[in-house]
Amino acid sequence: QTPDQIYRTGYHFQPAKYWMNDPNGPKIYMGIYHFFYQYNPYDAQAGNIVWGHSTSTDLVNWTPQPPALLRSEPYDFKGCFSGSTTLLSGGKPAILYTGVDFSDNQVQNLAVPKNLADPYLTEWVKSPYNPLIAPNSVNKIDGQNFRDPTTAWLNPDGNWRMVVGNQQNGNGIGLLYRSKNFIDWIQAENPLHFMNNSGMWECPDFFPVSTISQNGLETSTMGPNVKHVFKASKASTDFYTIGTYNPNKDIFIPDNKSLDIGLGFRYDYGKFYASKSFFDSSTSRRILFGWINESVNNLETNSIRGWAGLQGIPRRIWLHKSGNQLLQWPIAEIEKLRMNPVIEDTTVLMPGSVREISGVNATQADIEMSFSAKTLEKAEKWEANWTNPQQVCSIKGASVKGGLGPFGLLVLASKDMQEYTAIFFRIFKGNNNNFIVLMCSDQTRSSLHLPSSDYDKTTYGALLNVDPLQEKLSLRTLIDHSIVESFGGEGKACITARVYPTNLAVDGATHMYVFNNGSQSVGISKLTAWSMKTAQIN
Ligand code: FRU
């Protein structure tokens, strides 16, 4: 590999070259998975956006297809922005996407496959009725803030519904539209959801989840044992809220106002944006794709490398039995890339200990482990003024000694441990004799050759709703050259980081360790690490 390609990934989705951002319209059609993405076909920076397209039979290996949508018409001349696919009656796919027209207005368009008998859907035809919805003096929609139509769902009244992201006077809005024929769309009187002062809502997603099963639901499913999830992307973060959709009144009400968009749960507490889910009817799963941006994003770096942007490993998502939050887990198919497992028996990590996990390709790995603490005696006190877990993780990084924790993993690490990315837990004592579990991903020592001025080294943090006395505390981490994706508490909190370690430049110079920097010992009840094969990607 040439020195500038050491950060290219082995099993994460990326195009052969150039810039990629949002995932668009994933779906399965005639047994083939389709993935579209915001793509610049000329350069490794944002711009000239079209819909890149790849297909797969396993969501792991991908074959490139010609772009599905190019900039060609007055209504999408400045860009084919994000959107979704819907399966219409008879399973016919349709793309709804945002075009940026000649005057920089965002308008909503339709495209359909040229040949429904082609399982690869290589050619798409734009509707002669485009643009279907455009800002005008009657609807008074702001043409700069009107984009990213959702997958449509069929209401019991026989009409389609879909949502478009919008902002008015700083308020984030999911505008609701209705249509009988998928061409004429009428704006509903009230938005499906909104939140004052929350800024532009990009890439909304709206879908049902089952309250009684981990299976996913087709997007138009309603009725008993169903909750709905509304997701909006804003301020570099994907927020979701769980609630009830009333199809007769066309309203969505979050179960808990304090967990609404911007206040409550995030899909990921690190880098993960503009995500899009779809229902995989072949396996009854709901699967989530998310864009993982670079941490260094200047034109020079991007053009030297010739590429920018990754997709996270697709995640299966379902409702936790509490009904309060979603769980996320890398799709099972990714496990077929696992090889040469290194299994460690139950051990104790003494205070201050660091132990290497050897025998694994530390640049391309998957690791699963769980911790247990016999006593929580030495847990530090959670301070009353700590309201932001990310901030606590930044004050108390991996090198700051604690009581119960920090303990976890040091990955993409140099032998002398000057350079590493740390994923770890700290357990605190709350005020009501409760315990508070913090999950952190610390990038401050990740990419030693890069000055912080060029590089986003933010430390990420999340609270994990796990009772460490009753449950094991699990961690799964996927490592792939310049990405580290971590799933805590069996998918209750996810943190994704992009890092550019210097140690990748030399074969064999990358290591992986477990560590405990607390004053109390912790048990490791299970640890398995696999080297990961390289997938066939584009
Ligand atoms: C989100 C986004 C979308 C838009 C697209 C343009 O990252 O800004 O709102 O449609 O990217 O590429």
Side-chain angles (χ1 to χ4, degrees), residues 21-22 38 49 81-82 147-148 202-203 273-274 291:
N21 55 296
D22 311 356
Q38 294 282 282
I49 291 293
F81 275 17
S82 283
R147 57 184 181 271
D148 312 335
E202 298 187 307
C203 302
Y273 195 65
W291 167 41

mmCIF file of all heavy atoms in Angstrom, residues 21-22 38 49 81-82 147-148 202-203 273-274 291, ligand 1:
data_model
loop_
_atom_site.group_PDB
_atom_site.id
_atom_site.type_symbol
_atom_site.label_atom_id
_atom_site.label_comp_id
_atom_site.label_asym_id
_atom_site.label_seq_id
_atom_site.Cartn_x
_atom_site.Cartn_y
_atom_site.Cartn_z
ATOM 1 N N ASN A 21 -20.985 10.987 0.929
ATOM 2 C CA ASN A 21 -21.629 11.314 2.204
ATOM 3 C C ASN A 21 -22.858 10.446 2.447
ATOM 4 O O ASN A 21 -22.677 9.217 2.524
ATOM 5 C CB ASN A 21 -21.817 12.819 2.427
ATOM 6 C CG ASN A 21 -22.566 13.598 1.369
ATOM 7 O OD1 ASN A 21 -22.114 13.700 0.249
ATOM 8 N ND2 ASN A 21 -23.679 14.192 1.721
ATOM 9 N N ASP A 22 -24.046 11.005 2.556
ATOM 10 C CA ASP A 22 -25.198 10.259 3.090
ATOM 11 C C ASP A 22 -25.521 8.944 2.387
ATOM 12 O O ASP A 22 -25.489 8.862 1.151
ATOM 13 C CB ASP A 22 -26.488 11.091 2.952
ATOM 14 C CG ASP A 22 -26.357 12.499 3.458
ATOM 15 O OD1 ASP A 22 -25.312 12.851 3.993
ATOM 16 O OD2 ASP A 22 -27.335 13.257 3.284
ATOM 17 N N GLN A 38 -24.692 9.546 -1.550
ATOM 18 C CA GLN A 38 -24.330 10.868 -2.059
ATOM 19 C C GLN A 38 -22.874 10.808 -2.497
ATOM 20 O O GLN A 38 -21.986 10.484 -1.706
ATOM 21 C CB GLN A 38 -24.520 11.916 -0.952
ATOM 22 C CG GLN A 38 -25.973 12.110 -0.550
ATOM 23 C CD GLN A 38 -26.724 12.958 -1.554
ATOM 24 O OE1 GLN A 38 -26.603 14.170 -1.573
ATOM 25 N NE2 GLN A 38 -27.527 12.326 -2.407
ATOM 26 N N ILE A 49 -23.001 16.666 -6.528
ATOM 27 C CA ILE A 49 -23.539 15.434 -5.932
ATOM 28 C C ILE A 49 -24.526 14.674 -6.829
ATOM 29 O O ILE A 49 -25.496 15.234 -7.339
ATOM 30 C CB ILE A 49 -24.197 15.754 -4.572
ATOM 31 C CG1 ILE A 49 -23.141 16.142 -3.538
ATOM 32 C CG2 ILE A 49 -25.032 14.585 -4.060
ATOM 33 C CD1 ILE A 49 -22.175 15.067 -3.095
ATOM 34 N N PHE A 81 -29.661 15.493 -4.360
ATOM 35 C CA PHE A 81 -29.448 15.361 -2.923
ATOM 36 C C PHE A 81 -30.175 14.131 -2.370
ATOM 37 O O PHE A 81 -30.789 13.357 -3.112
ATOM 38 C CB PHE A 81 -29.906 16.644 -2.213
ATOM 39 C CG PHE A 81 -28.844 17.725 -2.181
ATOM 40 C CD1 PHE A 81 -27.744 17.687 -3.028
ATOM 41 C CD2 PHE A 81 -28.946 18.788 -1.286
ATOM 42 C CE1 PHE A 81 -26.761 18.684 -2.984
ATOM 43 C CE2 PHE A 81 -27.975 19.783 -1.238
ATOM 44 C CZ PHE A 81 -26.886 19.740 -2.076
ATOM 45 N N SER A 82 -30.140 14.026 -1.054
ATOM 46 C CA SER A 82 -30.588 12.782 -0.408
ATOM 47 C C SER A 82 -32.071 12.507 -0.590
ATOM 48 O O SER A 82 -32.865 13.407 -0.860
ATOM 49 C CB SER A 82 -30.243 12.821 1.079
ATOM 50 O OG SER A 82 -28.872 12.566 1.220
ATOM 51 N N ARG A 147 -35.558 19.490 2.173
ATOM 52 C CA ARG A 147 -34.893 18.370 1.506
ATOM 53 C C ARG A 147 -35.020 17.028 2.230
ATOM 54 O O ARG A 147 -35.462 16.953 3.349
ATOM 55 C CB ARG A 147 -33.422 18.688 1.294
ATOM 56 C CG ARG A 147 -32.637 19.033 2.527
ATOM 57 C CD ARG A 147 -31.191 19.417 2.132
ATOM 58 N NE ARG A 147 -30.387 19.746 3.294
ATOM 59 C CZ ARG A 147 -30.286 20.961 3.817
ATOM 60 N NH1 ARG A 147 -30.960 21.963 3.284
ATOM 61 N NH2 ARG A 147 -29.530 21.175 4.886
ATOM 62 N N ASP A 148 -34.595 15.993 1.523
ATOM 63 C CA ASP A 148 -34.408 14.638 2.048
ATOM 64 C C ASP A 148 -35.712 13.905 2.368
ATOM 65 O O ASP A 148 -35.981 13.537 3.524
ATOM 66 C CB ASP A 148 -33.507 14.659 3.300
ATOM 67 C CG ASP A 148 -32.243 15.479 3.100
ATOM 68 O OD1 ASP A 148 -31.815 15.633 1.939
ATOM 69 O OD2 ASP A 148 -31.671 15.959 4.098
ATOM 70 N N GLU A 202 -32.310 17.532 8.851
ATOM 71 C CA GLU A 202 -31.919 16.847 7.617
ATOM 72 C C GLU A 202 -32.281 15.371 7.730
ATOM 73 O O GLU A 202 -32.358 14.810 8.823
ATOM 74 C CB GLU A 202 -30.404 16.994 7.397
ATOM 75 C CG GLU A 202 -29.957 18.438 7.240
ATOM 76 C CD GLU A 202 -28.486 18.560 6.843
ATOM 77 O OE1 GLU A 202 -27.629 17.986 7.530
ATOM 78 O OE2 GLU A 202 -28.199 19.225 5.844
ATOM 79 N N CYS A 203 -32.431 14.765 6.568
ATOM 80 C CA CYS A 203 -32.591 13.308 6.476
ATOM 81 C C CYS A 203 -33.522 12.703 7.524
ATOM 82 O O CYS A 203 -33.118 11.799 8.272
ATOM 83 C CB CYS A 203 -31.233 12.625 6.566
ATOM 84 S SG CYS A 203 -30.112 13.167 5.281
ATOM 85 N N TYR A 273 -23.883 10.027 10.781
ATOM 86 C CA TYR A 273 -24.795 11.098 10.397
ATOM 87 C C TYR A 273 -25.646 10.710 9.185
ATOM 88 O O TYR A 273 -25.267 9.839 8.387
ATOM 89 C CB TYR A 273 -23.995 12.369 10.062
ATOM 90 C CG TYR A 273 -24.858 13.607 10.007
ATOM 91 C CD1 TYR A 273 -25.495 14.083 11.151
ATOM 92 C CD2 TYR A 273 -25.045 14.302 8.810
ATOM 93 C CE1 TYR A 273 -26.301 15.212 11.103
ATOM 94 C CE2 TYR A 273 -25.848 15.442 8.758
ATOM 95 C CZ TYR A 273 -26.474 15.883 9.914
ATOM 96 O OH TYR A 273 -27.262 17.000 9.865
ATOM 97 N N ALA A 274 -26.783 11.412 9.077
ATOM 98 C CA ALA A 274 -27.649 11.328 7.890
ATOM 99 C C ALA A 274 -28.085 9.891 7.619
ATOM 100 O O ALA A 274 -28.230 9.476 6.478
ATOM 101 C CB ALA A 274 -26.930 11.911 6.662
ATOM 102 N N TRP A 291 -23.586 7.515 7.646
ATOM 103 C CA TRP A 291 -22.368 8.073 7.053
ATOM 104 C C TRP A 291 -21.360 8.414 8.155
ATOM 105 O O TRP A 291 -21.693 9.076 9.129
ATOM 106 C CB TRP A 291 -22.731 9.343 6.282
ATOM 107 C CG TRP A 291 -21.582 10.202 5.863
ATOM 108 C CD1 TRP A 291 -20.378 9.802 5.364
ATOM 109 C CD2 TRP A 291 -21.529 11.649 5.900
ATOM 110 N NE1 TRP A 291 -19.595 10.904 5.074
ATOM 111 C CE2 TRP A 291 -20.270 12.037 5.398
ATOM 112 C CE3 TRP A 291 -22.445 12.627 6.297
ATOM 113 C CZ2 TRP A 291 -19.899 13.384 5.291
ATOM 114 C CZ3 TRP A 291 -22.073 13.963 6.195
ATOM 115 C CH2 TRP A 291 -20.812 14.331 5.686
HETATM 116 C C1 FRU B 1 -26.805 15.731 4.938
HETATM 117 C C2 FRU B 1 -27.062 16.542 3.671
HETATM 118 C C3 FRU B 1 -28.496 16.431 3.222
HETATM 119 C C4 FRU B 1 -28.411 16.721 1.759
HETATM 120 C C5 FRU B 1 -27.108 16.060 1.391
HETATM 121 C C6 FRU B 1 -26.339 16.732 0.298
HETATM 122 O O1 FRU B 1 -25.462 15.397 5.092
HETATM 123 O O2 FRU B 1 -26.693 17.888 3.871
HETATM 124 O O3 FRU B 1 -29.382 17.265 3.918
HETATM 125 O O4 FRU B 1 -29.483 16.204 1.046
HETATM 126 O O5 FRU B 1 -26.324 16.027 2.567
HETATM 127 O O6 FRU B 1 -25.256 15.938 -0.101
#
